[in-house]
Amino acid sequence: MKLVMSPTMGYCKGVSRALDMAWGAIEDARKTGLPVYSLGKLIHNKQVCNHFAQAGMIEIAGPEGHERGVVVLRAHGVGDKLRSDFLDAGYQIVDATCPVVKRNLLHIAHYAVTHTILVVGHYKHPESTAMQEVLLDGKPITSRLITTLEDVGEPGEGVSYAVFVQTTFDQNLWMQIQAALTSWQQKGIEVVFVNDICPSSVNRRTALSELAGQCDAVLVIGGKDSANTKALYSMVLEMGRKAWHIEEAAEITNEMRQCAILGITAGASTPSSLVESIVDALQQE
């Protein structure tokens, strides 16, 4: 079996930044004696989240019912009201929101003054949820979530739209939805596409496209609830190639080892140490 590694995989800059900030928060909390929390899963990788839990970081969903301390906001961003709830309750906030995501959230508030907001993203994904929970003058912004092509529907007469996409959304589906929304312009409707899928995700998928073309199958490594990792897996299948999505070495099968040429890629929340451990396991007889 020959293993071919994708040249672009693993942590993106936003995830690396969030993890560095989380470790800094843990160290600072230890010095001050304060408890340290993460708002939900810091990233979509159970091994990394378990590592933080072992270091004393507690995963919480809100400020109620916990001793006041330091809370790290995840890279995916968080709604304005929930952020305010933590501050009002006396928590110290370490904002690890990806700078790209944070910029998009600020732009939503800007465009909401003159446009109806459309959010293209996965249902209940933290980033798309954060985009739908932006406040303007203390009031929630009305927006509509588009998850599938069928969700696009028809525009309102005389309405101007500003479209925001989850930075890790499926690229092929995004292109289809974008094309459908663009067709509204032929009806005289203003549609502004404010952002796009993160360049890091695009580069990772471009590299995967080239990788899959030279392999019999591709192994995609990353969290089962990671949107960008699932998008990589779906992409290989759409290319007509065999693929597996695993998040630990225990999931390796004999079928994987029997591939003549097996490609390896990983999602944006997948640590290099996990990739290395799986590669080592694959090479064992």
Side-chain angles (χ1 to χ4, degrees), residues 224-245:
K224 293 295 177 65
D225 54 356
S226 166
N228 75 86
T229 306
K230 289 190 287 187
L232 294 174
Y233 172 67
S234 297
M235 179 179 165
V236 180
L237 296 180
E238 289 168 3
M239 293 177 65
R241 298 286 183 176
K242 180 74 175 179
W244 297 276
H245 176 186

Side-chain angles (χ1 to χ4, degrees), residues 23-266:
W23 283 120
I26 289 173
E27 290 300 318
D28 291 343
R30 284 172 178 169
K31 294 174 184 177
T32 58
L34 292 173
V36 61
Y37 307 98
S38 69
L39 177 57
K41 296 183 183 301
L42 192 62
I43 63 172
H44 286 145
N45 182 274
K46 70 177 184 180
Q47 291 89 348
V48 174
C49 290
N50 288 341
H51 197 188
F52 278 109
Q54 291 168 5
M57 180 174 282
I58 303 168
E59 184 180 318
I60 61 175
E64 298 83 7
H66 308 284
E67 181 184 353
R68 303 305 178 248
V70 179
V71 60
V72 182
L73 304 186
R74 57 200 168 211
H76 308 99
V78 61
D80 288 345
K81 183 179 183 305
L82 187 52
R83 178 194 298 268
S84 296
D85 288 345
F86 275 105
L87 289 173
D88 293 344
Y91 286 80
Q92 297 177 28
I93 286 181
V94 174
D95 190 354
T97 303
C98 171
V100 174
V101 174
K102 184 178 290 187
R103 184 168 61 250
N104 293 337
L105 297 176
L106 291 173
H107 283 166
I108 287 174
H110 171 77
Y111 275 91
V113 176
T114 53
H115 292 70
T116 293
I117 304 298
L118 299 178
V119 175
V120 179
H122 297 299
Y123 178 63
K124 288 189 176 181
H125 186 278
E127 184 184 341
S128 58
T129 298
M131 287 193 286
Q132 290 198 281
E133 294 181 350
V134 176
L135 301 180
L136 181 62
D137 297 329
K139 298 179 181 178
I141 292 173
T142 300
S143 63
R144 181 161 69 87
L145 180 66
I146 296 174
T147 298
T148 67
L149 189 58
E150 290 72 26
D151 293 335
V152 172
E154 294 295 327
E157 186 175 350
V159 179
S160 296
Y161 294 93
V163 184
F164 292 81
V165 62
Q166 176 188 318
T167 57
T168 57
F169 195 69
D170 313 73
Q171 191 166 12
N172 289 340
L173 181 54
W174 164 233
M175 292 174 64
Q176 294 174 40
I177 291 173
Q178 192 175 34
L181 292 172
T182 299
S183 71
W184 290 2
Q185 296 171 343
Q186 299 173 2
K187 304 175 183 179
I189 300 296
E190 182 187 9
V191 180
V192 180
F193 297 97
V194 183
N195 76 313
D196 209 333
I197 292 174
C198 178
S200 176
S201 292
V202 174
N203 292 340
R204 189 177 288 102
R205 294 169 192 178
T206 299
L208 175 59
S209 178
E210 296 174 0
L211 176 73
Q214 54 185 293
C215 299
D216 299 311
V218 176
L219 186 60
V220 182
I221 303 170
K224 293 295 177 65
D225 54 356
S226 166
N228 75 86
T229 306
K230 289 190 287 187
L232 294 174
Y233 172 67
S234 297
M235 179 179 165
V236 180
L237 296 180
E238 289 168 3
M239 293 177 65
R241 298 286 183 176
K242 180 74 175 179
W244 297 276
H245 176 186
I246 69 172
E247 56 183 359
E248 57 188 0
E251 297 175 79
I252 293 174
T253 65
N254 288 332
E255 186 181 7
M256 298 173 193
R257 290 193 172 97
Q258 290 168 359
C259 287
I261 305 176
L262 179 63
I264 304 289
T265 191

